[in-house]
Amino acid sequence: MRQIKLKERPDGMPSAKTFQYENVDVPSRNRDEVLLKTLYLSVDPYMRGRMSTGPSYAAPFKVGEPLNGGIVAQVMESETEELKEGDIVTGALPWQEYIVADPNQLRRPEVHGAPVSSALGVLGMPGLTAYFGMYHIGEPKEGETVVVSAAAGAVGSIAGQLAKKRGARVVGIVGSQSKGDYIVNKLGFDEAVNYKEENVSEALKTKCPDGIDVYFENVGGEISDAVWPLLNTFARVPLCGAIAAYNLSAGESDIGLRVQMPFIKSRVKMQGFIVGDFSEHFREAYEVLSPLVKNGELHFEETIHEGFDKVPDAFLGLFSGENVGKQLVKVVEPEQ
Amino acid sequence: MRQIKLKERPDGMPSAKTFQYENVDVPSRNRDEVLLKTLYLSVDPYMRGRMSTGPSYAAPFKVGEPLNGGIVAQVMESETEELKEGDIVTGALPWQEYIVADPNQLRRPEVHGAPVSSALGVLGMPGLTAYFGMYHIGEPKEGETVVVSAAAGAVGSIAGQLAKKRGARVVGIVGSQSKGDYIVNKLGFDEAVNYKEENVSEALKTKCPDGIDVYFENVGGEISDAVWPLLNTFARVPLCGAIAAYNLSAGESDIGLRVQMPFIKSRVKMQGFIVGDFSEHFREAYEVLSPLVKNGELHFEETIHEGFDKVPDAFLGLFSGENVGKQLVKVVEPEQ
């Protein structure tokens, strides 16, 4: 049988040199293991990250060992109670034509009449990713505008449809006319933007006249830079992927991608805010801060310029870092 | 009396030319208004945004009209029930030595024995900003590492101390040795990084050996770029300010600041995620997705490459955008 090993770590875009096909014997199994035949093998963008070293949420693949990922397989031999010959199973498994696995590594695909391959797509990792990103983070509301990048992809195509089911207006960003036609005519997106043909910034302004409330981020880079200024107040950005960054080589610039990659790796939550958003909690804040100030537990410094003629100097000093603590102008002493 | 008007909108850094002092008569008041004498006048970085046009959370200042902001003042004349001569009040008021105001625009500073000027600082807008950013968004836990930029400033100095009170290890980024000494020796920060003298990235790696759990963002730019890679899983980033961006002129690059400014303006929440973070909700997701697939309400496409020898092509195709929907390799038909 054949297996596929990681031959060398790609620097930049992977190529045929990344992969090594090898002919090996079908592995032997213990009595508590099953022999599987691979039916469907999933390839996913996140795997690119595992081909490099460095911190990520998944351990790097090892050079000279088989790659692995989502697979749907059929049981060929089993003496276990859990599985019998002919059963269809799925799991994270090595890229081989035949696989020996522990039944605990496997589950039965829950596809409810859909093709078993959907256990690797809409009813598997990509579908769940779309679901949680859109419904648990994006949370689109009726009448809001949702933009999805990589909108014809495994995740984006589901994410956009889920947003439609919440009554949102959905605009997809894609890389070809045929993908644009697909998401509008088949999936029911309201609009498509073809980033290879259109000025994304101008197209989004036209197609999102009320701004953007949810941006489901799959790509990063210049496409996302066109989105940021159009986000509405209290917009949400589920950061799912940044495919524009995955194939940058070590020396290449990551301008515009400085946030996405580490934020996905570490599942960071970033939230812009101004103090007025919390006006209902002002009382609570004063009740915490005031005793701390009174007891001397919270220190504060005031850099005070004296006299009304010092206002511009005080203001300009903010940007040269001259102040410690609060920069103020004392115009006059209170009268007694 | 004197007032300070916006003379011209600054392009880039404001300067003395931005401001126009003018001698005008003390305004006359109606019987339901009070005459105030300005005691303390606050200058704050956010005011720079109001000097430009363009969308923001606060309306732009008008050229030729008085600037305004937080002021602490004393009542000189009042025939109202609410206020009497000599009372100390605070509010958002014009930059003038004497001000006529409606009592409804004013409130009494709640300073609990602290100097009245603290109504513009620790017990005013900057203190509340630190409180909500740190406690409602950052939510530092005992033993976590918190980094605060502009740590000796009005907001940062309070934010860092509030984090200490939750038992976090707190590292402040400042622009001078004396500010570093101040935050460590006076405010109780654990460490200071002087960005004008130190390599911020290296210093943070040394001083945050367990990574960073909360980054209280006041500055943007290269300092923040040094923080992103050090954020721990599930880190939080309260985006309070981006002072490095405020004085960029129209033509200047905003590299590294593309996210902060629009995210503050619109109070965007961005959250990196991977599907496994939601493993406790997988059941819920399948229960929503499966009927939609079964009823044909959720479309999905599979781009299927046939044969185990097509795995590298299928994988590489992900990055050239060849696939619609889920990219798969069908290795073999299941046996019947």
Coordinates of all heavy atoms in Angstrom, one line a residue, chain A residues 273 289 298-300, chain B residues 122 126-135 138-140 146-166 168-172 187 189 214-218 238 240:
Chain A
F273 N -13.3 49.6 22.8 CA -14.3 50.1 23.7 C -14.0 51.5 24.0 O -12.9 52.0 23.8 CB -14.3 49.3 25.0 CG -13.2 49.6 26.0 CD1 -13.4 50.4 27.1 CD2 -11.9 49.1 25.7 CE1 -12.4 50.7 27.9 CE2 -10.9 49.4 26.6 CZ -11.1 50.2 27.7
L289 N -13.7 52.2 42.9 CA -12.5 53.1 42.8 C -12.4 54.0 44.0 O -11.3 54.3 44.5 CB -12.6 53.9 41.5 CG -12.4 53.2 40.2 CD1 -12.6 54.1 39.0 CD2 -11.1 52.4 40.1
L298 N -4.9 53.1 45.7 CA -4.8 53.3 44.3 C -4.2 54.7 44.1 O -4.7 55.7 44.5 CB -6.3 53.3 43.7 CG -6.4 53.3 42.2 CD1 -5.8 52.0 41.6 CD2 -7.9 53.3 41.8
H299 N -2.9 54.6 43.6 CA -2.2 55.9 43.5 C -2.5 56.6 42.2 O -2.8 55.9 41.2 CB -0.7 55.6 43.5 CG -0.2 55.0 44.8 ND1 0.1 55.7 45.9 CD2 -0.1 53.7 45.1 CE1 0.4 54.9 46.9 NE2 0.4 53.7 46.5
F300 N -2.5 57.8 42.2 CA -2.7 58.6 40.9 C -1.8 59.8 40.9 O -1.6 60.4 42.0 CB -4.2 58.9 40.7 CG -4.7 59.9 41.7 CD1 -4.9 61.2 41.4 CD2 -5.2 59.4 43.0 CE1 -5.4 62.1 42.3 CE2 -5.7 60.3 43.9 CZ -5.8 61.7 43.6
Chain B
V122 N -8.4 59.9 38.0 CA -8.7 58.6 38.6 C -10.2 58.4 38.9 O -10.7 57.3 38.8 CB -7.8 58.4 39.8 CG1 -8.1 59.4 40.9 CG2 -8.0 56.9 40.4
P126 N -10.7 58.9 32.8 CA -9.6 58.0 32.6 C -9.7 56.8 33.6 O -9.4 55.7 33.3 CB -8.4 58.9 32.9 CG -8.9 60.3 32.6 CD -10.3 60.3 33.0
G127 N -10.1 57.1 34.9 CA -10.2 56.0 35.8 C -11.3 55.0 35.5 O -11.1 53.8 35.6
L128 N -12.4 55.5 35.0 CA -13.5 54.6 34.6 C -13.0 53.8 33.4 O -13.4 52.6 33.2 CB -14.8 55.4 34.2 CG -15.5 56.1 35.4 CD1 -16.8 56.6 34.9 CD2 -15.7 55.1 36.6
T129 N -12.3 54.4 32.5 CA -11.8 53.7 31.3 C -10.9 52.6 31.7 O -11.0 51.4 31.2 CB -11.1 54.7 30.4 OG1 -12.0 55.8 30.0 CG2 -10.5 54.0 29.1
A130 N -10.0 52.8 32.6 CA -9.1 51.8 33.1 C -10.0 50.7 33.8 O -9.7 49.5 33.6 CB -8.2 52.4 34.1
Y131 N -10.9 51.1 34.6 CA -11.8 50.1 35.3 C -12.5 49.1 34.3 O -12.4 47.9 34.5 CB -12.8 50.8 36.2 CG -13.7 49.9 36.9 CD1 -13.4 49.5 38.2 CD2 -14.9 49.6 36.4 CE1 -14.2 48.6 38.9 CE2 -15.8 48.7 37.1 CZ -15.5 48.3 38.3 OH -16.3 47.5 39.0
F132 N -13.2 49.7 33.4 CA -14.0 48.8 32.5 C -13.1 48.0 31.5 O -13.4 46.9 31.2 CB -15.0 49.7 31.7 CG -16.1 50.3 32.6 CD1 -16.2 51.6 32.8 CD2 -17.0 49.4 33.3 CE1 -17.1 52.2 33.7 CE2 -17.9 49.9 34.1 CZ -18.0 51.3 34.3
G133 N -12.1 48.7 31.0 CA -11.2 48.0 30.1 C -10.5 46.8 30.9 O -10.4 45.7 30.3
M134 N -10.1 47.0 32.1 CA -9.4 46.0 32.8 C -10.3 44.9 33.4 O -10.1 43.7 33.2 CB -8.5 46.6 33.9 CG -7.5 45.6 34.5 SD -6.4 44.7 33.4 CE -5.2 45.9 33.1
Y135 N -11.4 45.4 34.0 CA -12.2 44.4 34.8 C -13.3 43.8 33.9 O -13.8 42.7 34.2 CB -12.8 45.1 36.0 CG -11.8 45.2 37.2 CD1 -12.2 45.9 38.3 CD2 -10.6 44.6 37.1 CE1 -11.3 46.0 39.4 CE2 -9.7 44.7 38.2 CZ -10.0 45.4 39.3 OH -9.2 45.5 40.4
G138 N -10.6 42.9 30.1 CA -9.4 42.1 30.4 C -9.6 41.0 31.3 O -9.0 39.9 31.2
E139 N -10.3 41.2 32.4 CA -10.6 40.2 33.4 C -9.4 39.4 33.9 O -9.4 38.2 33.7 CB -11.7 39.3 32.9 CG -13.0 40.0 32.6 CD -14.1 39.1 32.2 OE1 -14.2 38.7 31.0 OE2 -14.9 38.6 33.0
P140 N -8.4 40.1 34.4 CA -7.2 39.3 34.8 C -7.5 38.4 36.0 O -8.2 38.8 36.9 CB -6.2 40.4 35.2 CG -7.0 41.6 35.6 CD -8.3 41.5 34.7
V146 N -0.2 40.5 33.0 CA -0.9 41.6 32.3 C 0.2 42.6 31.8 O 1.1 42.9 32.6 CB -1.8 42.3 33.3 CG1 -2.4 43.6 32.7 CG2 -2.9 41.3 33.7
V147 N 0.1 43.0 30.6 CA 1.0 44.1 30.1 C 0.1 45.3 29.8 O -1.0 45.2 29.2 CB 1.7 43.6 28.8 CG1 2.5 44.8 28.1 CG2 2.7 42.5 29.2
V148 N 0.6 46.5 30.2 CA -0.1 47.7 30.0 C 0.8 48.6 29.2 O 2.0 48.9 29.7 CB -0.5 48.4 31.3 CG1 -1.2 49.7 31.1 CG2 -1.4 47.4 32.1
S149 N 0.4 49.2 28.1 CA 1.2 50.2 27.4 C 0.8 51.6 27.8 O -0.3 51.8 28.4 CB 1.1 50.0 25.9 OG -0.2 50.0 25.4
A150 N 1.6 52.6 27.6 CA 1.4 53.9 28.2 C 1.1 53.8 29.7 O 0.2 54.4 30.2 CB 0.3 54.7 27.4
A151 N 2.0 53.0 30.3 CA 1.6 52.6 31.7 C 1.8 53.7 32.7 O 1.3 53.5 33.8 CB 2.6 51.4 32.1
A152 N 2.4 54.7 32.4 CA 2.5 55.8 33.4 C 1.5 56.9 33.1 O 1.4 57.9 33.8 CB 3.9 56.5 33.4
G153 N 0.6 56.7 32.1 CA -0.4 57.7 31.8 C -1.6 57.6 32.7 O -1.7 56.8 33.6
A154 N -2.6 58.5 32.4 CA -3.8 58.6 33.2 C -4.5 57.3 33.3 O -5.0 56.9 34.3 CB -4.7 59.7 32.6
V155 N -4.7 56.6 32.2 CA -5.4 55.4 32.1 C -4.5 54.2 32.5 O -4.9 53.4 33.4 CB -6.0 55.1 30.7 CG1 -6.7 53.8 30.6 CG2 -7.0 56.3 30.4
G156 N -3.4 54.1 31.9 CA -2.5 52.9 32.1 C -2.1 52.8 33.6 O -2.0 51.7 34.1
S157 N -1.8 53.9 34.2 CA -1.4 53.8 35.6 C -2.4 53.2 36.5 O -2.1 52.5 37.5 CB -0.9 55.2 36.1 OG -2.0 56.1 36.1
I158 N -3.7 53.5 36.2 CA -4.8 53.0 37.0 C -5.1 51.5 36.6 O -5.3 50.6 37.4 CB -6.1 53.8 36.8 CG1 -5.8 55.3 37.2 CG2 -7.2 53.3 37.7 CD1 -5.2 55.6 38.6
A159 N -5.1 51.3 35.3 CA -5.3 49.9 34.8 C -4.3 48.9 35.4 O -4.7 47.8 35.8 CB -5.2 49.9 33.2
G160 N -3.1 49.3 35.4 CA -2.1 48.4 36.0 C -2.3 48.1 37.5 O -2.2 46.9 37.9
Q161 N -2.6 49.1 38.2 CA -2.9 48.9 39.6 C -4.1 48.0 39.9 O -4.1 47.2 40.8 CB -3.0 50.2 40.4 CG -1.8 51.0 40.5 CD -2.0 52.4 41.1 OE1 -2.0 52.5 42.4 NE2 -2.3 53.4 40.4
L162 N -5.1 48.2 39.1 CA -6.3 47.4 39.2 C -6.0 45.9 38.9 O -6.5 45.0 39.6 CB -7.4 47.9 38.3 CG -8.0 49.3 38.6 CD1 -9.0 49.7 37.6 CD2 -8.7 49.3 40.0
A163 N -5.1 45.7 37.9 CA -4.7 44.3 37.6 C -4.0 43.7 38.8 O -4.1 42.5 39.1 CB -3.9 44.3 36.4
K164 N -3.1 44.5 39.4 CA -2.4 44.0 40.6 C -3.3 43.6 41.7 O -3.1 42.6 42.4 CB -1.4 45.1 41.2 CG -0.1 45.4 40.4 CD 0.7 44.2 40.3 CE 1.2 43.6 41.6 NZ 2.0 42.3 41.4
K165 N -4.4 44.3 41.9 CA -5.4 44.0 42.9 C -6.1 42.7 42.7 O -6.7 42.1 43.6 CB -6.4 45.2 43.1 CG -5.7 46.4 43.5 CD -6.6 47.4 44.2 CE -5.7 48.6 44.5 NZ -4.6 48.3 45.5
R166 N -6.1 42.2 41.4 CA -6.6 40.9 41.1 C -5.6 39.8 41.2 O -5.8 38.7 40.8 CB -7.2 40.9 39.7 CG -8.5 41.7 39.6 CD -9.7 40.9 40.2 NE -10.9 41.8 40.4 CZ -11.8 42.1 39.6 NH1 -11.8 41.6 38.4 NH2 -12.8 42.9 39.9
A168 N -2.6 39.7 39.6 CA -1.8 39.4 38.4 C -0.4 40.0 38.5 O -0.1 40.8 39.3 CB -2.5 40.1 37.2
R169 N 0.5 39.4 37.7 CA 1.8 40.0 37.5 C 1.7 41.0 36.4 O 1.1 40.8 35.4 CB 2.7 38.9 37.1 CG 4.1 39.3 36.7 CD 4.9 38.1 36.2 NE 6.1 38.5 35.6 CZ 7.2 39.0 36.2 NH1 7.1 39.0 37.5 NH2 8.2 39.4 35.6
V170 N 2.1 42.3 36.7 CA 1.9 43.4 35.8 C 3.2 44.0 35.3 O 4.0 44.4 36.1 CB 1.0 44.5 36.5 CG1 0.7 45.6 35.5 CG2 -0.3 43.8 36.9
V171 N 3.3 44.1 34.0 CA 4.5 44.7 33.3 C 4.0 45.9 32.6 O 3.0 45.8 31.8 CB 5.1 43.7 32.4 CG1 6.3 44.3 31.6 CG2 5.6 42.4 33.2
G172 N 4.6 47.0 32.8 CA 4.2 48.3 32.1 C 5.2 48.7 31.1 O 6.4 48.5 31.3
L187 N 3.7 52.6 42.1 CA 2.4 52.0 41.8 C 2.4 50.4 42.0 O 1.4 49.8 42.0 CB 2.0 52.2 40.3 CG 2.0 53.7 39.9 CD1 1.4 53.8 38.5 CD2 1.2 54.6 40.9
F189 N 3.8 48.1 40.1 CA 4.0 47.2 38.9 C 5.2 46.3 39.2 O 6.2 46.6 39.9 CB 4.3 48.0 37.6 CG 3.1 48.7 37.0 CD1 2.3 49.5 37.7 CD2 2.9 48.5 35.6 CE1 1.2 50.1 37.1 CE2 1.8 49.1 35.0 CZ 0.9 50.0 35.7
V214 N -3.3 39.3 29.4 CA -4.1 40.5 29.1 C -3.1 41.6 28.6 O -2.1 41.8 29.2 CB -4.8 41.0 30.4 CG1 -5.6 42.3 30.0 CG2 -5.8 40.0 30.9
Y215 N -3.4 42.1 27.4 CA -2.7 43.3 27.0 C -3.6 44.5 26.9 O -4.6 44.5 26.1 CB -2.1 43.0 25.6 CG -1.4 44.3 25.0 CD1 -0.5 45.0 25.8 CD2 -1.7 44.7 23.7 CE1 0.1 46.1 25.3 CE2 -1.1 45.8 23.2 CZ -0.2 46.5 24.0 OH 0.4 47.7 23.5
F216 N -3.4 45.4 27.8 CA -4.2 46.7 27.8 C -3.6 47.6 26.8 O -2.5 48.2 27.1 CB -4.3 47.3 29.2 CG -5.4 48.3 29.4 CD1 -6.5 48.0 30.1 CD2 -5.2 49.6 28.9 CE1 -7.5 48.9 30.2 CE2 -6.2 50.5 29.0 CZ -7.4 50.2 29.7
E217 N -4.3 47.8 25.7 CA -3.7 48.5 24.5 C -4.0 50.0 24.5 O -5.2 50.4 24.4 CB -4.2 47.8 23.3 CG -4.0 48.6 21.9 CD -2.6 48.6 21.5 OE1 -1.7 49.2 22.2 OE2 -2.3 48.0 20.4
N218 N -3.0 50.8 24.6 CA -3.1 52.2 24.6 C -2.4 52.9 23.4 O -2.6 54.1 23.1 CB -2.6 52.9 25.8 CG -3.5 52.7 27.0 OD1 -4.7 52.9 26.9 ND2 -3.0 52.4 28.2
P238 N -8.1 44.4 25.7 CA -8.9 45.6 25.7 C -8.2 46.7 24.9 O -7.1 47.1 25.2 CB -9.0 46.0 27.2 CG -8.4 44.9 28.0 CD -7.5 44.1 27.1
C240 N -8.0 50.1 24.1 CA -8.4 51.4 24.6 C -8.0 52.6 23.7 O -8.7 53.5 23.5 CB -7.8 51.6 26.0 SG -8.2 53.1 26.8

